[in-house]
Short mmCIF file of all heavy atoms in Angstrom, two decimals:
data_model
loop_
_atom_site.label_atom_id
_atom_site.label_comp_id
_atom_site.label_asym_id
_atom_site.label_seq_id
_atom_site.Cartn_x
_atom_site.Cartn_y
_atom_site.Cartn_z
N PRO A 17 10.95 -247.61 69.45
CA PRO A 17 11.67 -248.36 68.40
C PRO A 17 13.16 -247.98 68.43
O PRO A 17 13.49 -246.79 68.34
CB PRO A 17 11.00 -247.91 67.11
CG PRO A 17 9.69 -247.31 67.53
CD PRO A 17 9.91 -246.74 68.89
N LEU A 18 14.02 -248.99 68.56
CA LEU A 18 15.46 -248.76 68.64
C LEU A 18 16.14 -249.25 67.38
O LEU A 18 15.94 -250.38 66.95
CB LEU A 18 16.05 -249.49 69.84
CG LEU A 18 16.26 -248.72 71.14
CD1 LEU A 18 16.71 -249.67 72.26
CD2 LEU A 18 17.30 -247.65 70.96
N THR A 19 16.98 -248.39 66.78
CA THR A 19 17.76 -248.77 65.61
C THR A 19 19.24 -248.52 65.89
O THR A 19 19.62 -247.45 66.34
CB THR A 19 17.35 -247.96 64.36
OG1 THR A 19 15.94 -248.11 64.14
CG2 THR A 19 18.10 -248.46 63.13
N TYR A 20 20.05 -249.55 65.62
CA TYR A 20 21.50 -249.45 65.78
C TYR A 20 22.11 -249.21 64.40
O TYR A 20 21.97 -250.03 63.49
CB TYR A 20 22.06 -250.73 66.41
CG TYR A 20 23.54 -250.68 66.68
CD1 TYR A 20 24.04 -249.98 67.76
CD2 TYR A 20 24.45 -251.30 65.83
CE1 TYR A 20 25.41 -249.91 68.00
CE2 TYR A 20 25.81 -251.24 66.06
CZ TYR A 20 26.28 -250.53 67.15
OH TYR A 20 27.63 -250.46 67.39
N VAL A 21 22.79 -248.09 64.24
CA VAL A 21 23.36 -247.67 62.96
C VAL A 21 24.87 -247.64 63.10
O VAL A 21 25.42 -246.94 63.96
CB VAL A 21 22.83 -246.27 62.56
CG1 VAL A 21 23.52 -245.80 61.28
CG2 VAL A 21 21.32 -246.30 62.36
N THR A 22 25.58 -248.39 62.25
CA THR A 22 27.02 -248.50 62.42
C THR A 22 27.76 -248.56 61.10
O THR A 22 27.26 -249.14 60.11
CB THR A 22 27.38 -249.75 63.26
OG1 THR A 22 28.80 -249.83 63.40
CG2 THR A 22 26.85 -251.02 62.64
N SER A 23 28.94 -248.00 61.08
CA SER A 23 29.80 -248.06 59.90
C SER A 23 30.48 -249.42 59.75
O SER A 23 31.12 -249.67 58.72
CB SER A 23 30.86 -246.96 59.97
OG SER A 23 31.52 -246.97 61.23
N GLU A 24 30.36 -250.29 60.75
CA GLU A 24 30.95 -251.63 60.65
C GLU A 24 30.36 -252.40 59.46
O GLU A 24 29.18 -252.25 59.15
CB GLU A 24 30.68 -252.44 61.92
CG GLU A 24 31.22 -251.87 63.21
CD GLU A 24 30.52 -252.49 64.39
OE1 GLU A 24 29.45 -251.98 64.79
OE2 GLU A 24 31.02 -253.51 64.91
N PRO A 25 31.15 -253.27 58.83
CA PRO A 25 30.61 -254.06 57.72
C PRO A 25 29.63 -255.13 58.16
O PRO A 25 28.83 -255.60 57.37
CB PRO A 25 31.85 -254.66 57.06
CG PRO A 25 32.88 -254.69 58.16
CD PRO A 25 32.60 -253.47 58.98
N TYR A 26 29.71 -255.53 59.42
CA TYR A 26 28.76 -256.49 59.98
C TYR A 26 28.71 -256.31 61.49
O TYR A 26 29.62 -255.73 62.10
CB TYR A 26 29.12 -257.94 59.62
CG TYR A 26 30.54 -258.36 59.98
CD1 TYR A 26 30.88 -258.79 61.27
CD2 TYR A 26 31.54 -258.33 59.02
CE1 TYR A 26 32.17 -259.15 61.59
CE2 TYR A 26 32.84 -258.71 59.33
CZ TYR A 26 33.15 -259.12 60.61
OH TYR A 26 34.44 -259.49 60.94
N ILE A 27 27.63 -256.77 62.08
CA ILE A 27 27.47 -256.69 63.52
C ILE A 27 28.58 -257.51 64.18
O ILE A 27 28.85 -258.65 63.80
CB ILE A 27 26.09 -257.21 63.95
CG1 ILE A 27 25.00 -256.27 63.47
CG2 ILE A 27 26.01 -257.39 65.47
CD1 ILE A 27 25.08 -254.87 64.03
N GLY A 28 29.22 -256.92 65.20
CA GLY A 28 30.29 -257.60 65.92
C GLY A 28 31.66 -257.46 65.30
O GLY A 28 32.62 -258.08 65.77
N HIS A 29 31.79 -256.65 64.26
CA HIS A 29 33.10 -256.40 63.67
C HIS A 29 34.01 -255.68 64.66
O HIS A 29 35.20 -256.01 64.80
CB HIS A 29 32.95 -255.59 62.38
CG HIS A 29 34.24 -255.29 61.68
ND1 HIS A 29 35.03 -254.21 61.99
CD2 HIS A 29 34.87 -255.92 60.66
CE1 HIS A 29 36.10 -254.22 61.21
NE2 HIS A 29 36.02 -255.23 60.38
N LEU A 30 33.46 -254.65 65.33
CA LEU A 30 34.12 -253.93 66.41
C LEU A 30 35.38 -253.19 66.00
O LEU A 30 36.19 -252.78 66.84
CB LEU A 30 34.46 -254.90 67.56
CG LEU A 30 33.27 -255.62 68.22
CD1 LEU A 30 33.76 -256.75 69.12
CD2 LEU A 30 32.42 -254.63 69.00
N GLY A 31 35.58 -253.00 64.69
CA GLY A 31 36.82 -252.38 64.22
C GLY A 31 38.01 -253.31 64.28
O GLY A 31 39.14 -252.91 64.02
N LEU A 32 37.75 -254.60 64.60
CA LEU A 32 38.81 -255.58 64.80
C LEU A 32 38.70 -256.78 63.89
O LEU A 32 39.44 -257.75 64.06
CB LEU A 32 38.78 -256.07 66.26
CG LEU A 32 39.09 -255.02 67.33
CD1 LEU A 32 38.77 -255.57 68.72
CD2 LEU A 32 40.55 -254.61 67.25
N GLY A 33 37.79 -256.73 62.92
CA GLY A 33 37.55 -257.91 62.11
C GLY A 33 36.84 -259.01 62.87
O GLY A 33 36.93 -260.20 62.52
N GLY A 34 36.12 -258.64 63.94
CA GLY A 34 35.46 -259.60 64.80
C GLY A 34 36.40 -260.19 65.83
O GLY A 34 37.61 -260.22 65.63
N VAL A 35 35.84 -260.63 66.94
CA VAL A 35 36.59 -261.31 67.98
C VAL A 35 35.81 -262.55 68.40
O VAL A 35 34.69 -262.44 68.91
CB VAL A 35 36.83 -260.41 69.21
CG1 VAL A 35 37.62 -261.17 70.27
CG2 VAL A 35 37.54 -259.13 68.84
N GLY A 36 36.38 -263.73 68.17
CA GLY A 36 35.66 -264.95 68.50
C GLY A 36 34.31 -265.01 67.80
O GLY A 36 34.22 -264.78 66.59
N ASP A 37 33.25 -265.28 68.56
CA ASP A 37 31.90 -265.38 68.02
C ASP A 37 31.12 -264.08 68.15
O ASP A 37 29.89 -264.09 68.31
CB ASP A 37 31.13 -266.51 68.73
CG ASP A 37 31.72 -267.87 68.47
OD1 ASP A 37 32.24 -268.09 67.37
OD2 ASP A 37 31.67 -268.73 69.37
N SER A 38 31.81 -262.94 68.12
CA SER A 38 31.15 -261.66 68.36
C SER A 38 30.01 -261.40 67.38
O SER A 38 28.98 -260.84 67.76
CB SER A 38 32.16 -260.51 68.30
OG SER A 38 32.85 -260.48 67.06
N LYS A 39 30.15 -261.80 66.13
CA LYS A 39 29.10 -261.55 65.13
C LYS A 39 27.80 -262.25 65.51
O LYS A 39 26.74 -261.62 65.64
CB LYS A 39 29.55 -262.00 63.74
CG LYS A 39 28.53 -261.73 62.64
CD LYS A 39 29.06 -262.15 61.26
CE LYS A 39 28.11 -261.71 60.15
NZ LYS A 39 26.82 -262.39 60.20
N SER A 40 27.85 -263.56 65.68
CA SER A 40 26.63 -264.31 65.96
C SER A 40 26.04 -263.95 67.31
O SER A 40 24.82 -263.83 67.46
CB SER A 40 26.91 -265.82 65.88
OG SER A 40 27.89 -266.21 66.81
N MET A 41 26.88 -263.74 68.32
CA MET A 41 26.38 -263.46 69.66
C MET A 41 25.73 -262.09 69.74
O MET A 41 24.68 -261.93 70.36
CB MET A 41 27.51 -263.60 70.68
CG MET A 41 28.00 -265.03 70.85
SD MET A 41 29.30 -265.22 72.11
CE MET A 41 28.33 -264.94 73.59
N LEU A 42 26.34 -261.07 69.11
CA LEU A 42 25.75 -259.74 69.17
C LEU A 42 24.51 -259.64 68.28
O LEU A 42 23.55 -258.95 68.64
CB LEU A 42 26.79 -258.68 68.77
CG LEU A 42 27.84 -258.39 69.84
CD1 LEU A 42 28.92 -257.46 69.31
CD2 LEU A 42 27.20 -257.78 71.09
N GLU A 43 24.52 -260.32 67.15
CA GLU A 43 23.30 -260.37 66.33
C GLU A 43 22.15 -261.00 67.12
O GLU A 43 21.02 -260.50 67.10
CB GLU A 43 23.54 -261.15 65.04
CG GLU A 43 24.28 -260.38 63.96
CD GLU A 43 24.35 -261.15 62.66
OE1 GLU A 43 24.00 -262.36 62.66
OE2 GLU A 43 24.77 -260.57 61.64
N SER A 44 22.43 -262.09 67.80
CA SER A 44 21.41 -262.76 68.59
C SER A 44 20.88 -261.85 69.69
O SER A 44 19.67 -261.79 69.94
CB SER A 44 21.99 -264.04 69.21
OG SER A 44 21.05 -264.68 70.04
N GLU A 45 21.77 -261.11 70.34
CA GLU A 45 21.35 -260.22 71.42
C GLU A 45 20.50 -259.07 70.87
O GLU A 45 19.49 -258.70 71.47
CB GLU A 45 22.57 -259.68 72.14
CG GLU A 45 22.25 -258.97 73.45
CD GLU A 45 21.73 -259.90 74.54
OE1 GLU A 45 21.98 -261.12 74.44
OE2 GLU A 45 21.05 -259.40 75.46
N LEU A 46 20.88 -258.51 69.74
CA LEU A 46 20.08 -257.45 69.14
C LEU A 46 18.70 -257.95 68.76
O LEU A 46 17.68 -257.28 68.99
CB LEU A 46 20.80 -256.88 67.91
CG LEU A 46 22.05 -256.04 68.17
CD1 LEU A 46 22.82 -255.79 66.88
CD2 LEU A 46 21.70 -254.71 68.83
N ARG A 47 18.63 -259.13 68.15
CA ARG A 47 17.33 -259.71 67.81
C ARG A 47 16.49 -259.95 69.06
O ARG A 47 15.29 -259.65 69.09
CB ARG A 47 17.51 -261.03 67.05
CG ARG A 47 18.04 -260.90 65.64
CD ARG A 47 17.90 -262.21 64.88
NE ARG A 47 18.57 -262.14 63.59
CZ ARG A 47 19.79 -262.58 63.36
NH1 ARG A 47 20.50 -263.13 64.36
NH2 ARG A 47 20.33 -262.48 62.16
#
């Protein structure tokens, strides 16, 4: 079982406020 734990406010934030579609694409990949 793999769990990704991050201080980011949402997946794909990357410390940059997101880049392009990073949120939806990384969420999809994790799922």
Side-chain angles (χ1 to χ4, degrees):
L18 263 173
T19 305
Y20 183 78
V21 175
T22 179
S23 50
E24 300 162 274
Y26 54 83
I27 293 298
H29 181 274
L30 299 168
L32 295 169
V35 180
D37 295 326
S38 57
K39 182 178 187 294
S40 60
M41 293 182 70
L42 285 173
E43 282 186 350
S44 177
E45 192 68 22
L46 289 168
R47 289 192 187 97

